[in-house]
């Protein structure tokens, strides 16, 4: 027994080398209520001794909620992996007694029609504290443990005054799935004897790492698109309170120190008011004071910007609040060697907690300034909207109800007022139909959101960007839209939710055949459901007309035809399966009573080609981009319900590739695909397979002899030489980056990759400097960039003449198969719906291309 006790004691001593007691973190000379549980008493270890797992973080949140009268637990929802998203509403017990009154009064401050009547003298300021949206930047979530304890247990005049004057929404983990993945990794590699070598496995996660959510998305780019559960759950509470300050706690490279905003002044989005930056700087004075008090190094106004509104620290800036980015040098484990010496995990947590306290001190000290700014922001927004030349935007696609609905859902999450169009109209030569089009008046308090969603940008103060430079949403969605520049009267009621998608079966029962148009966004989902039931389908490679319900209906390229006579089921069962598949999809079906067309090809024509059920493999793992793989996986899984087998690159040699008819190579280096595996892949393609490659993978295929595609090298050297001081030499290189802009391409609507498109003009997102030459074959480059392709965003002048008239997609035949090279990302961040159908066309119809 003595030996066992001695072993346990030594085990505890060794593992506690890096552990710190609460006194290391907490303010001095503060007493704490003994009735509030400490973090260690619930999670089983000291803060910073281990990386807290999400389940233990939730346990502590719930334990303190039960013990404290200062906080109320607010469930937000569940992640894709079923983890709870939680927030704590923290304020004084007296404020809790009238919490709903405080909330309603605070929301009234954002309404210009009510805000002038309100006094802010006694009004609490609302602060949202958010931690670790990147799961492997976990010092934030671990600091949340300390913030919860301090706010629940601290005693004295200072905490009483703080809680009286603030309502704090504490979100301990923006990204529960990523946080848990990372915590498991670093904890499983923690040694008894501390290891600080940066080469150690503890500090080098396996692919895809803990940064991302379940589908390997960067959630800190999803505040504006809001395509993921975590973002949608969070935004509902955000707009229920409309905070004055939101903090976003991150980590950066281990050799850095600590960053807090303001960021680079020239890289602030022009839609952000100057007053916002003045308040950001004023709040920064508090951060400096608090970090000085513990001797921590820091920097501001370098490296990071406030441009893209899809980030957590920038989204508040367009909603009448101030977003604050914190970046802490990362230990990436428990103890790591850096240029600044040994960096401990507890040290990183202490900085994050210290700036939590400094933010709250700033909110308390600047309370009336923050409330006053919020009131004036929305007043000035209405003035700006009224002076804006565009009085409304009209949008909608009568051939694509689902895509229109997804766009509406996105805008409603940001509380944009939308109205149904009650009469057909033509604007800018575009026709919009009542029942499928909608109006957004610009004179409303969410004008700045509307403006950033619809505007095109070409002029910039700076040529360096931390993220994308443009995101014109209707172009990204591929939705027809137009600007209305004359005043109009709207009599319809505004939408509270998108219309329920309905689908109809036109024509007589027990048809000779059934037709499904390919224009609808959900058509690929419907087709897979039918193919998965063993239903045989064909695709029209030419147009035709049929009489249905005494009307002549035109069917375009890509129409899916299901002949009744080819099925291994009764006519009644077939019709029942089709009705099930289209239900709630917005995809209509047409029962055809004859094979004789009233125009174009008849149903027995060889121009109707059988469609194969996709059996899809996608390369993943080391050598591939996790976000690119994740975007394709998310699209095919959640949008179209097409299963995808993700196979590590270095396992392909041992995989039976013959079970797949489509293989996807998302962007990546693929240096670990052996020569034997490459030969195997070539044989698979030659046997009739379809290989789809995106971005960097297209270059890899060219270099390794899979395709004959050529790439334009370098930049146009004419008039591009910059004469900059030496200290700006890295800026010259970065100015040549393609951070992300929008380009117009033309698609051949008769080509299988163009099926379902009504407009030959498509908008493609480009964030690389790969410029692909047109293939030699006359029909091998079905999607080409135009003569003047830039539609929105920054373009380095050296690329202006290079990108025009290059290929967006090339096709190479290899044996009986084909390789489809997509030089850009057609599925960017889950909201580039305008080109995701083109990607699905490659999946379904790639085998048609010759």
């Amino acid at each position: 027994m003595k030996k066992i006790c001695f072993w346990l004691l030594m085990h505890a001593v060794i593992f506690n080398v890096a552990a710190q007691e609460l006194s290391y973190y907490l303010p001095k000379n503060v007493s704490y209520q003994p009735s509030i549980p400490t973090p260690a008493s619930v999670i089983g270890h000291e803060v910073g001794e281990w990386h807290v797992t999400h389940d233990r973080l939730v346990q502590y949140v719930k334990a303190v909620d039960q013990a404290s009268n200062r906080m109320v637990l607010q469930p937000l929802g569940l992640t894709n992996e079923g983890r709870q998203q939680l927030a704590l509403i923290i304020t004084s017990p007296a404020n809790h007694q009238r919490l709903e009154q405080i909330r309603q009064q605070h929301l009234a401050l954002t309404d210009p029609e009510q805000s002038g009547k309100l006094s802010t003298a006694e009004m609490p300021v609302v602060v949202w504290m958010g931690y670790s949206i990147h799961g492997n930047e976990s010092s934030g979530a671990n600091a949340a443990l300390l913030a919860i304890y301090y706010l629940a247990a601290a005693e004295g005049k200072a905490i009483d005054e703080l809680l009286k004057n603030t309502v704090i929404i504490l979100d301990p983990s923006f990204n529960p799935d990523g946080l848990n993945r990372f915590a498991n990794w670093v904890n499983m590699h923690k040694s008894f004897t501390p290891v600080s070598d940066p080469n150690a496995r503890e500090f080098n996660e396996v692919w895809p790492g803990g940064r991302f959510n379940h589908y390997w998305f960067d959630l800190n780019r999803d505040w504006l698109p809001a395509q993921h559960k975590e973002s949608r759950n969070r935004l509902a509470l955000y707009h229920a309170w409309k905070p004055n300050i939101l903090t976003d706690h991150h980590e950066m490279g281990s050799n850095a120190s600590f960053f807090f905003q303001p960021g680079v002044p020239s890289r602030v989005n022009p839609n952000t008011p100057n007053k916002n930056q003045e308040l950001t700087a004023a709040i920064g004075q508090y951060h400096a004071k608090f970090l000085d008090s513990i001797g921590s190094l820091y920097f501001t106004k370098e490296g990071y910007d406030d441009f893209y509104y899809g980030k957590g620290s920038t989204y508040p800036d367009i909603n009448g609040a101030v977003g604050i980015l914190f970046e802490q040098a990362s230990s990436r484990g428990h103890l790591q060697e850096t240029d600044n010496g040994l960096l401990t995990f507890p040290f990183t947590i202490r900085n994050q907690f210290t700036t939590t306290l400094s933010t709250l001190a700033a909110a308390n000290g600047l309370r009336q300034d923050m409330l006053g700014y919020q009131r004036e922001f929305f007043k000035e927004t209405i003035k700006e909207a009224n002076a804006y030349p565009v009085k409304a935007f009209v949008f909608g696609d009568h051939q694509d109800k689902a895509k229109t609905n997804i766009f509406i859902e996105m805008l409603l999450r940001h509380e944009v007022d939308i109205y149904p169009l009650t009469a057909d109209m033509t604007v800018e030569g575009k026709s919009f139909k009542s029942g499928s089009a909608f109006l957004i008046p610009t004179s409303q308090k969410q004008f700045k959101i509307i403006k950033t969603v619809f505007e095109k940008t070409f002029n910039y103060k700076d040529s360096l960007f931390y993220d994308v430079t443009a995101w014109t949403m209707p172009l990204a969605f591929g939705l027809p839209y137009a600007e209305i520049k004359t005043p109009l009267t709207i009599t319809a009621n505004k939408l509270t939710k998108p219309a329920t998608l309905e689908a109809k079966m036109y024509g007589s029962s027990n048809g000779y055949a059934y037709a499904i148009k390919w224009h609808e966004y959900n058509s690929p989902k419907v087709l897979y459901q039918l193919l998965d039931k063993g239903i045989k389908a064909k695709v029209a490679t030419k147009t035709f007309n049929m009489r249905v319900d005494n009307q002549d209906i035109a069917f375009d390229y890509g129409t899916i035809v299901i002949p009744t006579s080819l099925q291994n089921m009764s006519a009644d069962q077939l019709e029942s399966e089709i009705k099930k598949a289209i239900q709630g999809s917005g995809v209509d079906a047409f029962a055809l009573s004859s094979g004789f067309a009233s125009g174009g090809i008849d149903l027995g024509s060889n121009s109707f080609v059988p469609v194969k059920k996709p059996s899809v493999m996608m390369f993943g793992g080391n050598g591939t981009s996790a976000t690119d793989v994740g975007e394709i996986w998310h699209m095919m899984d959640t949008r179209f319900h097409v299963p995808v087998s993700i196979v590590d690159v270095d396992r392909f040699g041992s995989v039976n590739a013959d079970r797949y008819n489509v293989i996807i190579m998302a962007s990546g280096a693929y240096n670990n695909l052996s020569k034997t595996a490459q030969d195997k892949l070539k044989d698979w393609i030659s046997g009739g397979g379809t290989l789809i490659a995106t971005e960097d993978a297209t270059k890899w295929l060219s270099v390794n002899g899979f395709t004959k595609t050529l790439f334009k090298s370098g930049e146009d050297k004419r008039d591009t030489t910059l004469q900059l001081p030496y200290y700006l030499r890295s800026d010259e290189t970065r100015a040549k980056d393609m951070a992300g802009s929008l380009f117009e391409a033309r698609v051949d609507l008769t080509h299988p990759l163009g099926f379902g498109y009504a407009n030959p003009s498509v908008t493609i997102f480009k964030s690389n400097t790969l410029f692909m030459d047109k293939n030699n074959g006359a029909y091998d480059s079905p999607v080409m960039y135009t003569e003047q392709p830039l539609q929105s965003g920054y373009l380095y002048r050296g690329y202006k003449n290079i990108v025009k008239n290059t290929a967006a997609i090339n096709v190479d035949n290899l044996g009986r198969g084909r390789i489809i090279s997509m030089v850009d990302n057609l599925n960017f961040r889950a909201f580039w719906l305008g080109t995701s159908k083109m990607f699905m066309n490659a999946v379904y119809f790639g085998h048609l291309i010759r």
Side-chain angles (χ1 to χ4, degrees):
M1 179 62 74
K2 287 182 179 180
K3 289 183 178 179
I4 293 174
C5 290
F6 177 77
W7 184 89
L8 289 173
L9 177 62
M10 290 305 297
H11 180 282
V13 168
I14 293 170
F15 261 125
N16 276 307
V17 167
Q20 296 286 353
E21 295 182 352
L22 284 175
S23 59
Y24 173 73
Y25 304 101
L26 297 175
K28 310 303 179 187
N29 304 316
V30 176
S31 61
Y32 295 89
Q33 296 178 22
S35 60
I36 302 299
T38 63
S41 69
V42 175
I43 66 174
H45 59 82
E46 295 292 346
V47 174
E49 182 182 0
W50 298 86
H51 285 246
V52 70
T53 54
H54 186 261
D55 58 321
R56 294 190 180 191
L57 179 60
V58 169
Q59 287 173 8
Y60 187 65
V61 167
K62 291 181 175 180
V64 178
D65 171 54
Q66 290 295 312
S68 174
N69 62 355
R70 297 176 180 176
M71 47 191 65
V72 172
L73 186 64
Q74 179 73 56
L76 304 185
L78 298 176
T79 68
N80 286 296
E81 295 178 12
R83 292 188 175 87
Q84 297 178 71
Q85 276 184 270
L86 304 171
L88 286 167
I89 312 297
I90 306 171
T91 189
S92 69
N95 284 345
H96 272 297
Q97 295 298 313
R98 57 186 190 93
L99 193 61
E100 181 58 18
Q101 178 187 346
I102 291 173
R103 188 181 74 85
Q104 292 292 346
Q105 188 181 47
H106 188 76
L107 291 180
L109 199 64
T110 69
D111 183 352
E113 294 183 1
Q114 302 181 59
S115 61
K117 307 169 188 175
L118 299 173
S119 170
T120 60
E122 302 296 327
M123 186 183 293
V125 65
V126 180
V127 185
W128 188 302
M129 312 298 298
Y131 301 91
S132 300
I133 200 163
H134 296 144
N136 62 357
E137 298 174 5
S138 62
S139 58
N142 284 265
L145 294 165
L146 299 166
I148 294 167
Y149 177 72
Y150 174 79
L151 292 170
E155 297 178 313
K157 183 178 179 180
I159 189 68
D160 290 342
E161 180 187 0
L162 173 67
L163 295 175
K164 174 189 174 185
N165 291 331
T166 58
V167 173
I168 302 159
I169 302 170
L170 195 147
D171 189 336
S173 173
F174 276 149
N175 180 5
D177 294 344
L179 178 75
N180 210 68
R181 190 183 312 130
F182 178 68
N184 286 334
W185 175 264
V186 291
N187 287 341
M188 72 184 283
H189 291 99
K190 182 179 179 181
S191 301
F192 286 101
T193 304
V195 175
S196 59
D197 177 5
N199 295 311
R201 203 161 189 260
E202 177 181 355
F203 309 111
N204 297 278
E205 302 167 79
V206 293
W207 190 98
R211 178 183 178 90
F212 312 117
N213 77 342
H214 174 76
Y215 283 103
W216 309 330
F217 272 73
D218 186 335
L219 290 175
N220 197 41
R221 305 298 187 268
D222 194 47
W223 283 76
L224 189 61
Q227 296 302 302
H228 292 271
K229 283 185 175 183
E230 297 91 341
S231 305
R232 296 171 181 181
N233 294 340
R234 187 188 323 117
L235 282 173
L237 185 62
Y238 181 95
H239 286 292
W241 276 97
K242 295 194 183 295
N244 300 97
I245 299 174
L246 183 143
T247 64
D248 192 13
H249 292 255
H250 287 255
E251 292 179 4
M252 56 183 163
S254 301
N255 293 320
S257 57
F258 190 92
F259 170 85
F260 59 83
Q261 288 177 313
V264 179
S266 60
R267 282 148 57 185
V268 175
N269 195 298
N271 290 308
T272 299
N274 291 334
K275 184 65 175 178
N276 170 285
Q277 294 299 291
E278 292 174 13
L279 288 169
T280 301
I283 295 170
Q285 295 296 321
Y286 286 81
H287 303 323
K289 179 181 178 180
F290 275 61
L291 290 170
D292 285 345
S293 72
I294 61 171
S296 286
L297 297 173
Y298 54 84
F299 66 98
T300 68
K301 300 183 285 292
E302 295 180 73
Y304 298 95
D305 63 36
D306 262 342
F307 193 79
Y308 172 51
Y309 286 121
K311 296 189 297 182
S313 58
T314 314
Y315 180 78
D317 296 343
I318 206 168
N319 282 281
V322 172
I324 302 291
L325 171 67
F326 296 121
E327 293 276 356
Q328 164 62 50
S330 179
S331 66
R332 275 296 185 269
H334 295 88
L335 178 71
Q336 186 175 168
E337 299 166 17
T338 74
D339 290 349
N340 297 314
L342 288 176
L343 180 61
T344 70
F345 187 42
F347 177 83
T348 68
I349 295 170
R350 185 174 67 162
N351 279 346
Q352 300 278 25
F353 175 61
T354 298
T355 48
T356 295
L357 297 182
S358 63
T359 301
L360 295 175
N364 191 22
L366 301 171
R367 179 179 62 84
Q368 287 200 263
D369 297 278
M370 299 304 305
L371 294 169
Y373 168 68
Q374 189 173 47
R375 170 161 46 197
E376 291 306 309
F377 174 91
F378 286 101
K379 284 184 177 181
E380 290 300 314
T381 294
I382 292 297
K383 291 179 183 178
E384 185 181 337
N386 290 336
Y388 194 59
V390 179
K391 302 308 173 186
F393 291 96
V394 59
F395 71 91
D397 189 342
H398 72 279
Q399 295 191 87
D400 199 336
K401 299 182 285 292
K403 195 162 60 176
T404 303
N405 260 24
I406 295 169
F407 189 68
I408 290 170
E409 286 175 342
M410 180 191 72
L411 293 174
L412 289 178
R413 291 188 188 103
H414 304 295
E415 301 203 326
V416 171
D417 293 342
I418 308 171
Y419 299 83
L421 186 66
T422 55
D424 295 357
M425 67 165 55
T426 300
V427 185
E428 299 174 356
K430 302 172 186 175
S431 297
F432 299 92
K433 297 181 178 295
S434 170
S436 62
F438 301 85
L439 289 166
I440 300 177
T442 53
S443 184
Q444 55 174 290
K445 69 178 187 178
Q446 289 298 77
F447 164 70
K448 285 185 178 287
I449 286 282
I450 297 165
K451 186 182 178 192
T452 197
V453 163
F454 282 90
E455 72 180 345
K456 297 178 181 179
T457 54
F458 298 99
N459 300 312
Y460 300 87
K461 291 182 180 180
D462 205 323
S463 58
L464 307 183
F465 301 90
Y466 190 74
D467 201 73
V468 299
T469 69
W471 48 90
T472 312
M473 295 291 199
L475 292 178
F477 273 70
L479 278 177
Y481 78 106
E483 299 175 349
I484 299 174
K485 296 185 177 180
T486 55
L488 74 166
T489 301
I490 299 176
T491 58
N493 295 324
K494 69 180 180 181
L495 299 180
T496 56
K497 61 180 180 179
T500 301
L501 285 176
E502 297 180 353
K504 296 180 180 180
M505 172 77 79
Y506 293 94
S508 303
S509 296
N510 298 329
Y512 173 91
Y514 296 86
I516 294 172
K517 295 186 177 183
W518 198 246
H519 297 104
E520 276 286 347
Y521 187 74
N522 282 335
S523 295
K525 179 171 75 171
V526 169
L527 178 57
Y528 189 84
Q529 288 180 257
L530 296 172
L531 295 175
D532 197 41
K533 292 289 185 180
I535 293 171
K536 298 178 177 63
K538 296 187 176 188
V539 59
T541 62
K542 294 182 180 178
T543 62
F544 64 102
N545 286 44
M546 299 293 287
R547 298 292 295 177
V548 180
D549 293 338
N550 297 317
Q551 295 186 50
D552 196 55
I553 306 296
F555 294 95
D556 210 344
Y557 302 95
T559 297
I560 302 301
V561 171
I562 303 164
T564 302
S565 62
L566 298 184
Q567 311 306 323
N568 295 318
M569 60 180 69
S570 68
D572 287 341
Q573 187 179 358
L574 175 62
E575 183 165 309
S576 174
E577 291 294 348
I578 293 173
K579 286 180 177 178
K580 285 180 190 176
I582 67 174
Q583 185 176 6
S585 69
V587 179
D588 296 328
F590 298 83
L592 309 179
S593 59
S594 170
F596 186 76
S598 58
I601 56 174
D602 298 317
L603 297 195
S605 168
N606 286 337
S607 295
F608 288 98
V609 182
V611 180
K612 299 177 182 178
K613 175 184 169 183
S615 180
V616 183
M617 190 207 94
M618 177 162 54
F619 285 109
N622 291 339
T624 66
S625 163
T627 52
D628 286 68
V629 173
E631 285 162 352
I632 297 169
W633 175 29
H634 175 267
M635 176 192 66
M636 297 187 70
D637 187 30
T638 68
R639 302 281 197 205
F640 303 125
H641 300 178
V642 176
V644 182
S645 298
I646 301 173
V647 175
D648 284 357
V649 174
D650 54 13
R651 285 198 62 247
F652 181 69
S654 61
V655 165
N656 176 17
D658 291 337
R659 66 179 295 161
Y660 310 109
N661 52 32
V662 176
I663 291 179
I664 298 169
M665 294 184 80
S667 186
Y670 293 91
N671 294 329
N672 52 337
L673 192 65
S674 69
K675 182 63 168 61
T676 301
Q678 291 180 36
D679 291 340
K680 177 179 178 177
L681 183 58
K682 287 179 180 177
D683 289 342
W684 175 86
I685 300 167
S686 297
T690 297
L691 179 68
I692 303 168
T694 70
E695 297 189 273
D696 290 337
T698 64
K699 186 68 175 288
W700 184 90
L701 289 171
S702 174
V703 170
N704 287 277
F706 281 74
T707 69
K708 297 178 181 178
T709 291
L710 300 176
F711 290 83
K712 295 188 176 183
S713 58
E715 60 185 281
D716 186 345
K717 297 293 185 180
R718 293 172 292 180
D719 193 33
T720 61
T721 303
L722 300 176
Q723 193 66 41
L724 297 176
Y726 176 77
Y727 81 97
L728 292 176
R729 64 196 184 282
S730 63
D731 288 0
E732 179 181 0
T733 301
R734 289 185 58 199
K736 299 177 184 179
D737 289 345
M738 186 81 76
S741 299
L742 284 63
F743 294 86
E744 182 187 34
R746 305 285 290 184
V747 57
D748 181 349
L749 299 182
T750 71
H751 193 279
L753 295 183
F755 287 175
Y757 285 87
N759 188 338
S761 173
V762 296
T763 298
I764 296 178
F765 178 82
K766 188 172 188 65
S767 59
N768 62 47
T769 53
L770 294 174
F771 306 106
M772 197 162 61
D773 273 333
K774 182 179 184 296
N775 269 6
N776 289 330
Y779 306 103
D780 292 344
S781 301
V783 187
M784 295 284 297
Y785 285 113
T786 60
E787 176 71 19
Q788 295 181 317
L790 183 65
Q791 290 181 300
S792 186
Y794 170 78
L795 177 62
Y796 172 62
R797 61 183 180 274
Y799 301 143
K800 183 178 179 181
N801 292 318
I802 294 183
V803 67
K804 66 181 183 180
N805 299 321
T806 56
I809 299 179
N810 275 339
V811 179
D812 287 84
N813 291 315
L814 184 61
R816 292 188 294 111
R818 74 287 313 144
I819 300 168
I820 301 172
S821 297
M822 302 175 171
V823 76
D824 294 305
N825 185 352
L826 303 191
N827 308 299
F828 183 65
R829 290 182 182 169
F831 71 90
W832 224 268
L833 306 192
T835 48
S836 59
K837 171 159 287 188
M838 200 176 296
F839 189 93
M840 292 307 297
N841 284 348
V843 171
Y844 276 108
F845 310 133
H847 67 281
L848 305 183
I849 303 171
R850 291 290 183 268

